[in-house]
Amino acid sequence: MDSCPRTESAPRNDARRSFLKTVLTTAAAAPVVLGATSTSLFAQSPDYLPTLYRGWNVRNFQDILSDENAHVEYLLNGLGTAARPKPTFKNLLQSHVLDFAMVSRALENTGVGAYLGALPLLAGTPYLSPAGSIALIEARHAGYLNTLLNLPITQNVKNQKEAFDLALTPEEVVALAGPFVVDLNGGPPLIPAGGLQSPIDVLNFALALEFLEAEFYNLNVPKFT
Protein backbone atom coordinates (compact mmCIF):
# COMPACT_ATOMS: atom_id res chain seq x y z
CA MET A 1 0.00 0.00 0.00
CA ASP A 2 2.95 2.30 0.53
CA SER A 3 4.29 1.69 -2.96
CA CYS A 4 2.67 -0.19 -5.86
CA PRO A 5 0.93 -3.36 -4.62
CA ARG A 6 -0.17 -6.04 -7.05
CA THR A 7 -3.93 -6.23 -7.30
CA GLU A 8 -6.51 -8.61 -8.68
CA SER A 9 -9.29 -7.64 -11.03
CA ALA A 10 -12.76 -7.07 -9.62
CA PRO A 11 -15.80 -5.89 -11.56
CA ARG A 12 -16.41 -2.15 -11.63
CA ASN A 13 -20.03 -1.44 -10.84
CA ASP A 14 -22.74 1.17 -10.88
CA ALA A 15 -23.21 1.23 -7.09
CA ARG A 16 -19.58 2.09 -6.44
CA ARG A 17 -19.50 4.64 -9.25
CA SER A 18 -22.65 6.29 -7.87
CA PHE A 19 -21.17 6.44 -4.38
CA LEU A 20 -17.95 7.97 -5.70
CA LYS A 21 -19.60 10.53 -7.97
CA THR A 22 -19.10 13.51 -5.68
CA VAL A 23 -15.62 12.35 -4.67
CA LEU A 24 -14.41 12.01 -8.24
CA THR A 25 -15.69 15.45 -9.23
CA THR A 26 -13.23 17.19 -6.94
CA ALA A 27 -10.45 14.62 -6.67
CA ALA A 28 -9.88 14.53 -10.41
CA ALA A 29 -8.40 18.00 -10.22
CA ALA A 30 -6.35 17.47 -7.05
CA PRO A 31 -2.55 17.16 -7.41
CA VAL A 32 -0.47 14.52 -5.65
CA VAL A 33 3.02 15.56 -4.64
CA LEU A 34 5.61 12.78 -4.74
CA GLY A 35 9.05 14.11 -3.97
CA ALA A 36 9.55 17.02 -6.34
CA THR A 37 6.88 15.88 -8.79
CA SER A 38 3.32 17.20 -8.83
CA THR A 39 0.83 15.60 -11.22
CA SER A 40 -2.87 14.87 -11.41
CA LEU A 41 -4.06 12.24 -8.95
CA PHE A 42 -5.55 10.25 -11.80
CA ALA A 43 -2.34 10.37 -13.82
CA GLN A 44 -0.83 8.14 -11.15
CA SER A 45 -1.07 4.38 -11.28
CA PRO A 46 -4.33 3.16 -9.71
CA ASP A 47 -2.11 0.79 -7.73
CA TYR A 48 -0.20 3.61 -6.04
CA LEU A 49 -0.78 5.78 -2.98
CA PRO A 50 1.64 8.37 -1.61
CA THR A 51 3.06 7.84 1.87
CA LEU A 52 4.54 10.17 4.46
CA TYR A 53 6.38 7.52 6.50
CA ARG A 54 7.38 3.92 5.89
CA GLY A 55 4.43 1.70 6.75
CA TRP A 56 2.21 4.74 7.43
CA ASN A 57 -0.71 3.77 5.19
CA VAL A 58 -0.66 0.12 6.22
CA ARG A 59 -0.75 1.04 9.91
CA ASN A 60 -3.49 3.61 9.43
CA PHE A 61 -5.78 1.36 7.41
CA GLN A 62 -5.29 -1.49 9.87
CA ASP A 63 -6.22 0.91 12.68
CA ILE A 64 -9.33 2.02 10.78
CA LEU A 65 -10.33 -1.62 10.28
CA SER A 66 -9.93 -2.26 14.01
CA ASP A 67 -11.91 0.87 14.93
CA GLU A 68 -14.85 0.03 12.66
CA ASN A 69 -15.10 -3.50 14.02
CA ALA A 70 -14.98 -2.07 17.55
CA HIS A 71 -17.86 0.28 16.68
CA VAL A 72 -19.92 -2.68 15.46
CA GLU A 73 -19.18 -4.60 18.65
CA TYR A 74 -20.14 -1.64 20.85
CA LEU A 75 -23.46 -1.10 19.07
CA LEU A 76 -24.29 -4.81 19.12
CA ASN A 77 -23.64 -4.94 22.85
CA GLY A 78 -25.59 -1.75 23.50
CA LEU A 79 -28.62 -2.86 21.50
CA GLY A 80 -28.64 -6.44 22.76
CA THR A 81 -31.60 -8.38 21.42
CA ALA A 82 -32.89 -5.24 19.65
CA ALA A 83 -29.85 -5.18 17.33
CA ARG A 84 -30.49 -5.58 13.63
CA PRO A 85 -28.87 -8.56 11.89
CA LYS A 86 -25.94 -7.86 9.63
CA PRO A 87 -27.19 -6.88 6.17
CA THR A 88 -25.88 -8.48 3.01
CA PHE A 89 -23.75 -6.07 0.96
CA LYS A 90 -22.52 -5.94 -2.61
CA ASN A 91 -19.74 -4.33 -4.63
CA LEU A 92 -17.41 -3.67 -1.70
CA LEU A 93 -14.26 -5.43 -2.96
CA GLN A 94 -12.10 -2.95 -4.86
CA SER A 95 -9.85 -3.59 -7.85
CA HIS A 96 -7.14 -1.04 -7.09
CA VAL A 97 -5.69 0.62 -4.03
CA LEU A 98 -6.65 4.09 -5.29
CA ASP A 99 -10.29 2.97 -5.64
CA PHE A 100 -10.06 1.55 -2.13
CA ALA A 101 -8.80 4.85 -0.72
CA MET A 102 -11.48 6.89 -2.50
CA VAL A 103 -14.35 4.68 -1.36
CA SER A 104 -12.85 4.65 2.13
CA ARG A 105 -12.72 8.44 2.14
CA ALA A 106 -16.36 8.64 1.01
CA LEU A 107 -17.51 6.14 3.65
CA GLU A 108 -15.72 7.89 6.50
CA ASN A 109 -16.99 11.34 5.53
CA THR A 110 -20.49 9.88 5.21
CA GLY A 111 -20.10 8.44 8.70
CA VAL A 112 -19.11 11.83 10.11
CA GLY A 113 -22.18 13.47 8.59
CA ALA A 114 -24.45 10.63 9.65
CA TYR A 115 -23.43 10.78 13.31
CA LEU A 116 -23.50 14.57 13.38
CA GLY A 117 -27.04 14.52 12.01
CA ALA A 118 -28.16 11.84 14.47
CA LEU A 119 -26.62 13.24 17.67
CA PRO A 120 -29.51 15.63 18.46
CA LEU A 121 -31.85 12.63 18.40
CA LEU A 122 -29.84 11.10 21.26
CA ALA A 123 -29.90 14.19 23.48
CA GLY A 124 -30.74 13.32 27.07
CA THR A 125 -29.89 9.63 26.63
CA PRO A 126 -26.82 7.71 27.82
CA TYR A 127 -25.96 7.05 24.18
CA LEU A 128 -25.10 10.66 23.33
CA SER A 129 -21.52 10.62 24.60
CA PRO A 130 -20.52 7.26 23.01
CA ALA A 131 -22.08 8.30 19.69
CA GLY A 132 -20.18 11.59 19.84
CA SER A 133 -16.99 9.66 20.54
CA ILE A 134 -17.55 7.45 17.49
CA ALA A 135 -18.24 10.55 15.38
CA LEU A 136 -14.87 12.02 16.41
CA ILE A 137 -13.04 8.82 15.46
CA GLU A 138 -14.81 8.80 12.08
CA ALA A 139 -13.69 12.41 11.61
CA ARG A 140 -10.07 11.48 12.35
CA HIS A 141 -10.29 8.72 9.75
CA ALA A 142 -11.79 11.18 7.27
CA GLY A 143 -9.07 13.76 7.88
CA TYR A 144 -6.35 11.20 7.20
CA LEU A 145 -8.05 10.01 4.02
CA ASN A 146 -8.64 13.54 2.75
CA THR A 147 -4.95 14.23 3.30
CA LEU A 148 -3.92 10.98 1.62
CA LEU A 149 -5.87 11.98 -1.50
CA ASN A 150 -4.49 15.54 -1.34
CA LEU A 151 -7.88 17.09 -0.60
CA PRO A 152 -8.57 19.81 1.99
CA ILE A 153 -8.41 18.17 5.40
CA THR A 154 -11.92 19.33 6.37
CA GLN A 155 -13.62 18.61 3.03
CA ASN A 156 -16.88 16.75 3.58
CA VAL A 157 -18.62 14.07 1.53
CA LYS A 158 -20.26 16.76 -0.62
CA ASN A 159 -16.82 18.22 -1.38
CA GLN A 160 -17.44 21.35 0.67
CA LYS A 161 -14.56 22.73 2.71
CA GLU A 162 -16.09 24.15 5.87
CA ALA A 163 -15.00 25.20 9.35
CA PHE A 164 -18.16 23.48 10.68
CA ASP A 165 -18.86 19.95 9.52
CA LEU A 166 -21.91 18.94 7.54
CA ALA A 167 -24.76 17.09 9.24
CA LEU A 168 -26.49 14.61 6.94
CA THR A 169 -30.13 13.63 7.15
CA PRO A 170 -30.92 9.91 7.33
CA GLU A 171 -32.27 10.15 3.79
CA GLU A 172 -28.98 11.60 2.54
CA VAL A 173 -27.04 8.82 4.25
CA VAL A 174 -29.24 6.15 2.67
CA ALA A 175 -28.85 7.77 -0.75
CA LEU A 176 -25.06 7.49 -0.38
CA ALA A 177 -24.70 4.11 1.31
CA GLY A 178 -27.94 2.35 0.42
CA PRO A 179 -26.82 1.14 -3.04
CA PHE A 180 -24.36 -1.22 -1.32
CA VAL A 181 -27.15 -2.97 0.63
CA VAL A 182 -28.59 -6.10 -0.98
CA ASP A 183 -30.74 -7.46 1.85
CA LEU A 184 -31.51 -6.37 5.42
CA ASN A 185 -31.94 -10.05 6.34
CA GLY A 186 -35.10 -9.54 8.34
CA GLY A 187 -33.88 -6.43 10.12
CA PRO A 188 -35.83 -3.18 10.41
CA PRO A 189 -35.87 -0.70 7.52
CA LEU A 190 -32.89 1.61 7.45
CA ILE A 191 -35.35 4.43 8.13
CA PRO A 192 -38.59 3.34 9.85
CA ALA A 193 -41.88 4.58 8.41
CA GLY A 194 -42.14 7.28 11.06
CA GLY A 195 -38.49 8.28 10.84
CA LEU A 196 -35.78 7.82 13.45
CA GLN A 197 -37.79 8.46 16.60
CA SER A 198 -36.28 6.35 19.37
CA PRO A 199 -32.69 5.73 20.49
CA ILE A 200 -33.11 2.14 19.25
CA ASP A 201 -33.98 3.46 15.77
CA VAL A 202 -30.93 5.72 15.77
CA LEU A 203 -28.53 3.06 17.03
CA ASN A 204 -29.79 0.48 14.54
CA PHE A 205 -29.36 3.04 11.77
CA ALA A 206 -25.79 3.63 12.94
CA LEU A 207 -25.21 -0.12 13.22
CA ALA A 208 -26.17 -0.65 9.57
CA LEU A 209 -23.58 1.94 8.52
CA GLU A 210 -20.94 0.46 10.83
CA PHE A 211 -21.63 -3.02 9.46
CA LEU A 212 -21.05 -1.62 5.97
CA GLU A 213 -17.79 0.10 6.92
CA ALA A 214 -16.47 -2.91 8.82
CA GLU A 215 -17.27 -5.28 5.96
CA PHE A 216 -15.59 -2.93 3.48
CA TYR A 217 -12.36 -2.86 5.49
CA ASN A 218 -12.47 -6.56 6.37
CA LEU A 219 -12.51 -7.33 2.64
CA ASN A 220 -10.04 -4.74 1.38
CA VAL A 221 -7.43 -4.12 4.07
CA PRO A 222 -6.01 -7.68 3.88
CA LYS A 223 -5.92 -7.39 0.09
CA PHE A 224 -4.00 -4.12 0.00
CA THR A 225 -1.76 -4.56 3.02
Side-chain angles (χ1 to χ4, degrees):
M1 182 177 290
D2 294 307
S3 56
C4 298
R6 180 173 60 86
T7 62
E8 300 172 0
S9 295
R12 303 182 73 86
N13 53 77
D14 292 338
R16 184 177 64 81
R17 284 196 296 267
S18 174
F19 188 62
L20 284 174
K21 184 176 180 181
T22 56
V23 179
L24 295 174
T25 301
T26 298
V32 173
V33 179
L34 302 173
T37 303
S38 178
T39 60
S40 168
L41 175 62
F42 290 91
Q44 299 294 332
S45 164
D47 298 323
Y48 179 85
L49 285 176
T51 186
L52 186 59
Y53 305 106
R54 184 181 297 275
W56 187 59
N57 292 329
V58 170
R59 182 190 70 227
N60 287 338
F61 276 109
Q62 288 175 342
D63 285 348
I64 293 173
L65 179 153
S66 177
D67 292 342
E68 300 301 351
N69 281 288
H71 295 166
V72 168
E73 189 67 22
Y74 172 80
L75 290 168
L76 285 173
N77 289 337
L79 283 161
T81 58
R84 68 165 62 251
K86 180 181 175 181
T88 300
F89 301 109
K90 64 180 179 180
N91 301 328
L92 294 183
L93 187 64
Q94 302 302 301
S95 300
H96 302 286
V97 71
L98 183 58
D99 293 336
F100 167 52
M102 289 191 298
V103 176
S104 180
R105 182 248 168 196
L107 281 172
E108 296 299 330
N109 278 283
T110 298
V112 173
Y115 276 99
L116 187 57
L119 285 176
L121 302 175
L122 296 174
T125 76
Y127 306 110
L128 179 62
S129 180
S133 179
I134 293 175
L136 290 174
I137 295 299
E138 300 282 342
R140 293 181 184 185
H141 296 168
Y144 157 68
L145 290 157
N146 284 348
T147 301
L148 182 64
L149 294 171
N150 203 21
L151 298 171
I153 194 169
T154 59
Q155 186 165 295
N156 60 41
V157 73
K158 294 187 177 181
N159 294 325
Q160 301 162 333
K161 180 182 177 296
E162 304 286 353
F164 298 89
D165 221 323
L166 176 72
L168 296 176
T169 66
E171 291 76 15
E172 288 175 313
V173 175
V174 171
L176 287 165
F180 289 109
V181 180
V182 176
D183 195 330
L184 294 174
N185 295 325
L190 293 175
I191 304 175
L196 301 180
Q197 296 186 348
S198 71
I200 298 300
D201 292 340
V202 175
L203 295 181
N204 262 321
F205 183 74
L207 179 57
L209 187 59
E210 295 293 351
F211 270 136
L212 170 60
E213 291 180 295
E215 182 75 0
F216 174 76
Y217 291 110
N218 288 337
L219 287 171
N220 288 287
V221 169
K223 177 177 180 178
F224 294 114
T225 61

